[in-house]
Amino acid sequence: MLFPNNSYVPAQSFILNGIPGLQAAHVWISLPLCTMYVISLVGNLGLVYLIYSEESLYRPMYFFLAMLSLIDLLTCTTTLPNALCIFWINPKKIEFNACLVQMFFVHGLTGVESGVLMLMALDHYVAICYPLRYATILTNPIIAKAGLLTFLRGVLLMIPFPFLVKSLPFCQSNIITHTYCDHVSVVKLSCASIKVNVIYGLMVAFLIGLLDICCISVSYAMILQAIISLSSSDALQKASSTCTAHISVIIITYVPAFFTFSAHRFGGHTIAPSLHIIVANLYLLLPPTLNIIVYGVKTKQIRDSVINFFQSEKGRR
């Protein structure tokens, strides 16, 4: 639905038309995405239930992991069902306010996820560098406050986005070339200056992404220094194993995020729109799918708890 060049579209609805140039392959593209979504739902719900039900997992590391799983569940559920409707049926109309709500949740949840990854890095730092004081430093009230502050930071910094978008006039087209309402994809349809939106978006990216990456980097620099000084091979192996899973999750999360961020701002003429949108979907779906696999394979306590759970269920029968 296109409009004359100089006409203004009332802010009522948008059309999400999926992946440009690949509409004929939407059904085939949806199959792996749907499979990943189902895996992420089952896996993350199972992991949260396991941590809740197993007293041996009542430790800060696993509380943070449960937070990460819940955020992953919400993030992919915010976008994937809508994307699958586009792939299976037709370009989907979305009301303007619903688009703003989806935008808020997408960016807010990814911001909270970044904060939880930072908290997990700090948890590993305390566990390896101050093992004897671990239980006294990371108490349940401290964990609850850290989780709440991380949540509030992600939410409060994202609240201005919907209001900034709502103040913009839109013209020419209401078609969003994407599978969900992303801030930059929406504001590009405006016929007014989006300078304020761009500046605020960059500021939030630095306040969340850059700050968290810096904290994670400093934490792991100190962890590496502590690991090198360990004389016991068992302690060295345990410390390395503890960090490997988290580092893998950081790579899975931040690499697609950095690609998506760069493509929006610097790769408009060099990166194919279809590739950009596919990666933008994977950016929200890969972490929920792979995080549970990484932690399930790399974390002995989780593997043992899963085996014990199934053995106990089998014994009851």
Side-chain angles (χ1 to χ4, degrees):
M1 181 176 171
L2 297 177
F3 297 86
N5 287 341
N6 294 322
S7 65
Y8 284 77
V9 181
Q12 295 178 350
S13 65
F14 293 109
I15 302 294
L16 294 166
N17 74 340
I19 303 174
L22 297 177
Q23 280 83 357
H26 270 178
V27 173
W28 297 107
I29 294 170
S30 72
L31 296 179
L33 295 181
C34 183
T35 302
M36 293 169 69
Y37 180 53
V38 172
I39 291 171
S40 68
L41 283 180
V42 174
N44 283 290
L45 283 173
L47 185 58
V48 171
Y49 176 77
L50 185 69
I51 293 171
Y52 172 78
S53 59
E54 287 287 331
E55 290 187 9
S56 61
L57 299 179
Y58 284 10
R59 293 176 54 196
M61 170 185 172
Y62 302 110
F63 292 150
F64 290 135
L65 183 55
M67 290 181 199
L68 186 66
S69 291
L70 287 172
I71 293 164
D72 283 341
L73 276 172
L74 291 172
T75 303
C76 60
T77 301
T78 300
T79 57
L80 257 296
N82 188 69
L84 292 175
C85 287
I86 296 170
F87 293 147
W88 290 339
I89 305 174
N90 278 311
K92 184 175 175 60
K93 178 181 177 181
I94 183 169
E95 296 302 320
F96 183 77
N97 288 330
C99 183
L100 296 184
V101 170
Q102 186 183 53
M103 178 198 309
F104 171 77
F105 276 103
V106 167
H107 295 297
L109 289 169
T110 52
V112 175
E113 181 177 36
S114 177
V116 172
L117 289 175
M118 178 191 66
L119 293 179
M120 294 174 77
L122 295 175
D123 167 75
H124 293 339
Y125 163 70
V126 175
I128 293 172
C129 297
Y130 301 98
L132 299 179
R133 297 172 55 195
Y134 180 77
T136 57
I137 294 175
L138 290 178
T139 60
N140 287 341
I142 292 295
I143 294 169
K145 289 176 183 177
L148 179 61
L149 288 174
T150 300
F151 174 78
L152 289 176
R153 183 192 67 164
V155 169
L156 293 176
L157 286 175
M158 299 304 166
I159 285 176
F161 277 122
F163 293 100
L164 288 172
V165 174
K166 200 160 189 175
S167 66
L168 293 172
F170 291 88
C171 59
Q172 298 186 30
S173 173
N174 65 342
I175 297 176
I176 300 174
T177 308
H178 214 309
T179 57
Y180 59 86
C181 289
D182 171 83
H183 175 247
V184 178
S185 299
V186 174
V187 299
K188 281 182 177 178
L189 299 179
S190 174
C191 41
S193 172
I194 59 172
K195 189 174 181 180
V196 174
N197 298 71
V198 172
I199 292 173
Y200 186 74
L202 288 171
M203 185 182 75
V204 170
F206 284 117
L207 285 175
I208 293 180
L210 187 61
L211 176 62
D212 291 348
I213 289 172
C214 287
C215 289
I216 291 169
S217 300
V218 171
S219 297
Y220 272 102
M222 294 180 178
I223 288 171
L224 181 61
Q225 185 178 9
I227 288 176
I228 292 172
S229 64
L230 291 174
S231 56
S232 169
S233 59
D234 290 339
L236 178 61
Q237 184 177 1
K238 184 178 180 180
S240 301
S241 177
T242 300
C243 296
T244 301
H246 186 239
I247 292 172
S248 301
V249 168
I250 289 170
I251 293 171
I252 291 167
T253 303
Y254 280 112
V255 169
F258 181 75
F259 178 89
T260 302
F261 177 83
S262 302
H264 263 316
R265 287 157 179 84
F266 313 115
H269 301 291
T270 58
I271 299 174
S274 56
L275 175 61
H276 171 213
I277 294 170
I278 289 172
V279 175
N281 279 274
L282 292 177
Y283 156 54
L284 299 180
L285 191 56
L286 269 181
T289 307
L290 297 182
N291 288 356
I292 51 173
I293 298 173
V294 169
Y295 275 102
V297 171
K298 292 289 185 181
T299 309
K300 183 178 183 298
Q301 292 90 335
I302 292 179
R303 292 200 307 270
D304 292 343
S305 296
V306 170
I307 293 170
N308 291 336
F309 175 80
F310 282 108
Q311 285 179 343
S312 63
E313 287 294 318
K314 187 177 179 181
R316 289 173 187 174
R317 295 177 187 177

Coordinates of all heavy atoms in Angstrom, one line a residue, residues 125-157:
Y125 N 33.7 -14.0 38.0 CA 34.9 -13.3 38.6 C 35.0 -13.6 40.1 O 36.0 -13.9 40.7 CB 34.8 -11.9 38.3 CG 35.7 -11.0 39.2 CD1 37.1 -11.0 39.0 CD2 35.1 -10.1 40.1 CE1 37.9 -10.2 39.8 CE2 35.9 -9.4 40.9 CZ 37.3 -9.4 40.8 OH 38.1 -8.6 41.6
V126 N 33.8 -13.4 40.8 CA 33.8 -13.6 42.3 C 34.1 -15.1 42.6 O 34.9 -15.4 43.5 CB 32.5 -13.2 42.9 CG1 32.4 -13.5 44.4 CG2 32.2 -11.7 42.6
A127 N 33.5 -16.0 41.8 CA 33.7 -17.4 42.1 C 35.1 -17.9 42.0 O 35.6 -18.7 42.7 CB 32.8 -18.3 41.2
I128 N 35.9 -17.3 41.0 CA 37.2 -17.8 40.7 C 38.3 -16.9 41.5 O 39.2 -17.5 42.1 CB 37.5 -17.7 39.2 CG1 36.7 -18.7 38.5 CG2 39.0 -17.9 38.9 CD1 36.7 -18.6 37.0
C129 N 38.0 -15.7 41.7 CA 39.0 -14.8 42.3 C 38.8 -14.7 43.9 O 39.7 -14.5 44.6 CB 39.0 -13.4 41.7 SG 39.4 -13.3 40.0
Y130 N 37.6 -14.9 44.3 CA 37.3 -14.9 45.8 C 36.4 -16.1 46.2 O 35.3 -15.9 46.7 CB 36.5 -13.6 46.1 CG 37.3 -12.3 45.8 CD1 37.0 -11.6 44.6 CD2 38.3 -11.9 46.6 CE1 37.8 -10.5 44.3 CE2 39.0 -10.7 46.3 CZ 38.8 -10.0 45.1 OH 39.5 -8.9 44.8
P131 N 36.9 -17.3 45.9 CA 36.0 -18.5 46.2 C 35.6 -18.6 47.6 O 34.5 -19.1 47.9 CB 37.0 -19.6 45.8 CG 38.4 -19.1 45.8 CD 38.2 -17.7 45.5
L132 N 36.4 -18.2 48.6 CA 36.1 -18.4 50.0 C 35.0 -17.4 50.4 O 34.3 -17.6 51.4 CB 37.3 -18.3 50.9 CG 38.4 -19.3 50.6 CD1 39.6 -19.1 51.5 CD2 37.9 -20.7 50.8
R133 N 34.9 -16.3 49.7 CA 34.0 -15.3 50.1 C 32.7 -15.2 49.2 O 31.9 -14.4 49.2 CB 34.6 -13.9 50.1 CG 35.8 -13.7 51.1 CD 36.5 -12.4 50.9 NE 35.6 -11.3 50.9 CZ 35.9 -10.1 50.5 NH1 37.1 -9.9 50.0 NH2 35.1 -9.1 50.5
Y134 N 32.7 -16.2 48.3 CA 31.6 -16.2 47.2 C 30.2 -16.2 47.8 O 29.4 -15.4 47.4 CB 31.8 -17.5 46.4 CG 30.8 -17.7 45.3 CD1 30.9 -16.9 44.1 CD2 29.7 -18.5 45.4 CE1 30.0 -17.1 43.1 CE2 28.8 -18.7 44.4 CZ 28.9 -18.0 43.2 OH 28.0 -18.1 42.2
A135 N 30.0 -17.0 48.8 CA 28.7 -17.1 49.4 C 28.3 -15.9 50.2 O 27.1 -15.5 50.3 CB 28.6 -18.4 50.3
T136 N 29.2 -15.2 50.7 CA 28.9 -14.0 51.5 C 28.8 -12.7 50.6 O 28.1 -11.8 51.0 CB 30.0 -13.7 52.6 OG1 31.3 -13.6 51.9 CG2 30.1 -14.9 53.6
I137 N 29.5 -12.8 49.5 CA 29.4 -11.6 48.5 C 28.1 -11.7 47.7 O 27.3 -10.7 47.7 CB 30.6 -11.6 47.6 CG1 31.9 -11.3 48.4 CG2 30.4 -10.5 46.5 CD1 33.2 -11.3 47.6
L138 N 27.8 -12.9 47.1 CA 26.6 -13.0 46.3 C 25.5 -13.7 47.1 O 25.2 -14.9 46.9 CB 27.0 -13.8 45.0 CG 27.9 -13.1 44.0 CD1 28.2 -14.0 42.9 CD2 27.2 -11.8 43.5
T139 N 24.9 -12.9 48.0 CA 23.8 -13.4 48.7 C 22.5 -13.3 47.9 O 22.5 -12.6 46.9 CB 23.6 -12.7 50.0 OG1 23.4 -11.3 49.7 CG2 24.9 -12.8 50.9
N140 N 21.4 -13.9 48.3 CA 20.2 -13.8 47.6 C 19.7 -12.4 47.5 O 19.2 -12.0 46.4 CB 19.1 -14.7 48.3 CG 19.4 -16.2 48.1 OD1 20.1 -16.6 47.1 ND2 18.8 -17.1 48.9
P141 N 19.7 -11.6 48.6 CA 19.3 -10.2 48.4 C 20.1 -9.4 47.3 O 19.6 -8.6 46.6 CB 19.5 -9.6 49.8 CG 19.4 -10.7 50.7 CD 20.0 -11.9 50.0
I142 N 21.5 -9.7 47.3 CA 22.3 -9.0 46.3 C 21.9 -9.4 44.9 O 21.8 -8.6 44.0 CB 23.8 -9.3 46.6 CG1 24.3 -8.7 47.9 CG2 24.7 -8.9 45.4 CD1 24.3 -7.2 47.9
I143 N 21.7 -10.8 44.7 CA 21.3 -11.3 43.4 C 20.0 -10.6 43.0 O 19.8 -10.2 41.8 CB 21.1 -12.8 43.5 CG1 22.5 -13.4 43.7 CG2 20.6 -13.3 42.2 CD1 22.4 -14.9 44.0
A144 N 19.0 -10.6 43.9 CA 17.7 -10.0 43.6 C 17.8 -8.5 43.2 O 17.2 -8.0 42.2 CB 16.7 -10.1 44.8
K145 N 18.6 -7.8 43.9 CA 18.8 -6.3 43.6 C 19.5 -6.1 42.3 O 19.2 -5.3 41.5 CB 19.6 -5.7 44.8 CG 18.8 -5.5 46.1 CD 19.7 -4.9 47.2 CE 19.0 -4.8 48.5 NZ 19.8 -4.4 49.6
A146 N 20.5 -7.0 42.0 CA 21.3 -6.9 40.8 C 20.4 -7.2 39.6 O 20.4 -6.5 38.6 CB 22.5 -7.8 40.8
G147 N 19.5 -8.2 39.7 CA 18.6 -8.5 38.7 C 17.6 -7.4 38.5 O 17.2 -7.1 37.3
L148 N 17.1 -6.9 39.6 CA 16.1 -5.8 39.4 C 16.7 -4.5 38.8 O 16.1 -3.9 37.9 CB 15.5 -5.4 40.8 CG 14.5 -4.3 40.9 CD1 13.3 -4.7 40.1 CD2 14.1 -4.0 42.3
L149 N 17.9 -4.2 39.2 CA 18.6 -3.0 38.6 C 18.8 -3.2 37.1 O 18.7 -2.3 36.3 CB 19.9 -2.7 39.3 CG 19.7 -2.1 40.7 CD1 21.1 -2.0 41.4 CD2 19.1 -0.7 40.7
T150 N 19.2 -4.4 36.7 CA 19.5 -4.7 35.3 C 18.2 -4.6 34.5 O 18.1 -4.1 33.4 CB 20.0 -6.2 35.2 OG1 21.3 -6.2 35.9 CG2 20.3 -6.5 33.7
F151 N 17.1 -5.1 35.1 CA 15.8 -5.1 34.4 C 15.3 -3.6 34.3 O 14.9 -3.2 33.2 CB 14.7 -5.8 35.3 CG 13.3 -5.7 34.7 CD1 12.9 -6.4 33.6 CD2 12.4 -4.9 35.4 CE1 11.6 -6.3 33.2 CE2 11.1 -4.7 34.9 CZ 10.7 -5.4 33.8
L152 N 15.5 -2.8 35.4 CA 15.0 -1.4 35.3 C 15.9 -0.6 34.3 O 15.3 0.3 33.6 CB 15.1 -0.8 36.7 CG 14.1 -1.3 37.7 CD1 14.4 -0.7 39.1 CD2 12.7 -1.0 37.3
R153 N 17.2 -0.9 34.3 CA 18.0 -0.2 33.3 C 17.5 -0.4 31.9 O 17.4 0.5 31.1 CB 19.5 -0.6 33.4 CG 20.4 0.1 32.5 CD 21.8 -0.5 32.5 NE 21.8 -1.8 31.8 CZ 22.9 -2.4 31.3 NH1 24.0 -1.9 31.5 NH2 22.7 -3.6 30.8
G154 N 17.3 -1.7 31.6 CA 16.8 -2.0 30.2 C 15.5 -1.4 29.9 O 15.3 -0.9 28.8
V155 N 14.6 -1.4 30.8 CA 13.2 -0.9 30.6 C 13.2 0.6 30.5 O 12.7 1.2 29.6 CB 12.3 -1.4 31.7 CG1 10.9 -0.6 31.7 CG2 12.0 -2.9 31.6
L156 N 13.8 1.3 31.5 CA 13.8 2.8 31.6 C 14.5 3.4 30.4 O 14.0 4.4 29.9 CB 14.4 3.2 32.9 CG 13.7 2.9 34.1 CD1 14.4 3.3 35.4 CD2 12.3 3.5 34.1
L157 N 15.6 2.8 29.9 CA 16.3 3.4 28.8 C 15.5 3.2 27.5 O 15.7 4.0 26.5 CB 17.7 2.8 28.6 CG 18.7 3.3 29.6 CD1 20.0 2.5 29.4 CD2 19.0 4.8 29.5

